[in-house]
Structures are given as structure tokens and as C-alpha cells.
Amino acid sequence: MAVAAAASRRDAAPAGDGAVMLGDAEFRFLREFVYEHCGIALGEHKRQLVQGRLARRLRALRLPDYAAYCTLLRDDPDGELGELASAISTNVTAFFREPHHYELLERELLPQWLQRKRRDGDRLRIWSAGCSSGEEPYALAMVLAEALERHGAAGVDAKILATDLSPQALEAARNGVYPLDRLGGVSEERRHRWMLRGAGEYEGYACVHPRLRELVTVQPLNLLHDWPMRGPFDAIFCRNVVIYFDQPTKQRLFRRYAALLPAGGHLFLGHSESLHGISDDFELIGRTVYRKRA
């Protein structure tokens, strides 16, 4: 491991404070590395942001400078990739963010899917791609669990796949424990039903109900690498993820999404995202909601 190999340098010079500058060569390497492995295009205007965000990684790893960090990435790219992606991207999420998406699921899509799947014996699959700390997949699980009960479809094989690249985000999603002030988007009725209030050392926190955990599978995944799942998915949520990608990367990603969706399958994007000029595989049917063309 590069971390072990660099131990002597760290012990000698545990730097990584604000005085350490990100040099031209190191920034060029980081830009190329991040684009190749994460699909994120970093312009020159992001240099100060990258320097500030990665200063924390230097301190955590006790590395003396950015050159040592680049060496670590060269020697062990997979070992640090998730931490790097977490550092340079901004994970903003919330329960029931962009509520019109959940309303469409509850009002139209889930009733249609469940009626068909009960009849044909098919499974139901939803993918939360870029799930961050888990609020999105657990909000989806609340809506799905309620729909299964409401439509007498408890026997339908229904699951939600939640994936992300960030180790910290994945740990939070697996834990399913959230401060009470993060539950603002959850109705009072759903809080009582689906969130278990903590006590003692968990005072001020709430944990998702075991039923929601049964519906959600949390896995690490780099969207640019190979995908182990083969689909098909009924819906893919990829919200506020592609804002970091350039046009060619977006085009490749949405072709891959289209391959995992049947004709009529749905793709949900973030409020500032669009497929205009990127993909002809989908038609817009609502606010940032797309349906795969036949």
C-alpha cells in the first residue's frame, strides 16, 4: 500500500495545512485522474476549491504535500478514489427532495407497475444512483412500502438499489440514522410510522424502520466503471449527479442507463439537469422526469 510506503515521509513532515500550495503539475495530474476515474471535469477555476478540500485529506493521511498525495493515487488509485470523490464533490440531499417525483410515483407509476407485476409475476426494481447518505432511497422505500400495502401487493418482489462512490456516504446510508433536524421533508405521519426515535446516546436522532432496510440494498459503485447489475429497472433516480460531468461523459452514462431500462421505463433527474442535446433515448413527460422511448 502507498499509505504504508509513505509513512516515513508523513512522520517527518506531517503537513497538509493551509500553507501547502497545490502546484501546477499536481493540479494537472489531479484533473486528469479525477476525469478518468470519476468523470468530473475540473476547470482552472476549481483549483482553490480542490486545494482547500484536499488539505483535509493531507492532514488525515499525514502527507507532507500534494505531490505525496498524487503519488498515493498513482500507487493505489482504488484505495483512495472514494475519499477523493467525496472531497471534491458536494453531497446535498434530503428526504423527499423534489417532492413532485415522489408524488408521481405514488399517484401514477407504482399503481400501474404493481398491477402489472401482480398479474405477470415480475419483480420491481428502482435504482438510486448517487444515493449519498441514504435519504433518497429511504424516502423511496417509504412510498414503495405504502404502495405495496395499499394495492395488496405484498407478494411482489420489490427492491431498491442504492449506490454511491463515497465511503462516508455509504456508511451513513447503511446506518440509516439521522439527526431529527434532517427529517424536515418527512410528514408527521411518516415520521411516526417509519422513523424510530433514538434514546440515550442516540437522543436527537432517528433510525429508519427495519421494513425500509429490507427494501433497500446499499452498495458501492463507480458510475464510470463496470456495473455488476443487468437490470431491468423500472425507474432510475440519478438526481444532481451529472452536474459534475462533461457532455461526452453524460452521453455515455445515459446510454448505459437506457440499456438497463425497458421501453416505458422512467429516469428521474435533478431540478437543474436536462437530457436536451444529450440523449434521444428518452422523452420528457414531466418536470425532470423522462420515459424511455419504445
Side-chain angles (χ1 to χ4, degrees):
M1 287 280 293
V3 175
S8 60
R9 282 180 294 166
R10 290 180 222 160
D11 292 340
D17 56 29
V20 179
M21 301 300 295
L22 177 58
D24 293 342
E26 289 75 27
F27 185 55
R28 281 196 302 272
F29 169 81
L30 288 169
R31 289 175 67 174
E32 294 169 2
F33 184 93
V34 167
Y35 182 75
E36 177 184 353
H37 293 275
C38 305
I40 299 174
L42 295 172
E44 180 63 35
H45 65 290
K46 296 287 188 179
R47 184 169 181 154
Q48 288 301 315
L49 180 145
V50 171
Q51 177 175 308
R53 296 279 183 86
L54 292 184
R56 281 170 268 186
R57 289 304 296 155
L58 264 63
R59 289 194 292 271
L61 296 168
R62 294 186 58 80
L63 291 172
D65 51 36
Y66 293 96
Y69 187 72
C70 292
T71 297
L72 185 151
L73 291 173
R74 289 189 188 95
D75 293 346
D76 185 25
D78 291 337
E80 178 64 13
L81 182 57
E83 298 288 354
L84 172 61
S86 296
I88 63 173
S89 57
T90 303
N91 291 318
V92 178
T93 187
F95 284 98
F96 293 96
R97 191 181 186 196
E98 299 176 60
H100 58 282
H101 288 165
Y102 299 93
E103 291 166 6
L104 177 64
L105 274 178
E106 187 173 21
R107 185 180 64 252
E108 296 182 24
L109 299 183
L110 281 170
Q112 295 171 12
W113 295 343
L114 292 173
Q115 182 179 13
R116 185 177 71 249
K117 291 172 188 301
R118 286 178 62 197
R119 182 186 67 235
D120 299 337
D122 294 338
R123 66 183 197 172
L124 190 157
R125 291 294 184 269
I126 299 173
W127 178 14
S128 170
C131 68
S132 190
S133 46
E135 287 90 338
E136 177 178 277
Y138 288 126
L140 290 170
M142 293 181 202
V143 174
L144 176 57
E146 291 164 2
L148 290 168
E149 292 179 358
R150 187 180 306 116
H151 298 283
V156 172
D157 178 6
K159 295 289 184 183
I160 297 165
L161 173 65
T163 67
D164 205 281
L165 179 58
S166 164
Q168 297 96 330
L170 291 167
E171 182 179 8
R174 290 193 183 102
N175 289 338
V177 177
Y178 301 95
L180 294 177
D181 60 12
R182 294 268 291 276
L183 305 184
V186 184
S187 69
E188 201 64 38
E189 180 183 354
R190 281 178 167 148
R191 287 195 198 193
H192 284 302
R193 180 163 193 198
W194 298 117
M195 305 301 296
L196 307 177
R197 194 159 184 144
E201 63 178 307
Y202 291 104
E203 184 73 33
Y205 290 83
C207 178
V208 298
H209 193 281
R211 174 58 179 145
L212 303 186
R213 292 177 178 275
E214 292 174 1
L215 293 172
V216 176
T217 300
V218 180
Q219 295 290 347
L221 185 74
N222 186 330
L223 289 174
L224 300 192
H225 292 179
D226 292 337
W227 298 350
M229 60 280 193
R230 295 293 176 259
F233 289 95
D234 297 278
I236 297 175
F237 280 69
C238 183
R239 305 191 302 175
N240 307 302
V241 174
V242 302
I243 53 175
Y244 297 108
F245 297 168
D246 64 5
Q247 197 86 339
T249 304
K250 291 178 184 178
Q251 290 171 339
R252 289 192 297 271
L253 180 63
F254 288 118
R255 279 198 300 270
R256 298 179 74 186
Y257 282 153
L260 290 184
L261 288 165
H266 289 74
L267 176 66
F268 294 78
L269 300 185
H271 68 278
S272 63
E273 298 168 329
S274 168
L275 292 183
H276 180 70
I278 296 175
S279 174
D280 294 325
D281 292 320
F282 300 90
E283 59 180 337
L284 181 66
I285 63 167
R287 276 194 296 160
T288 56
V289 180
Y290 292 83
R291 182 169 55 208
K292 184 180 173 182
R293 300 181 191 274

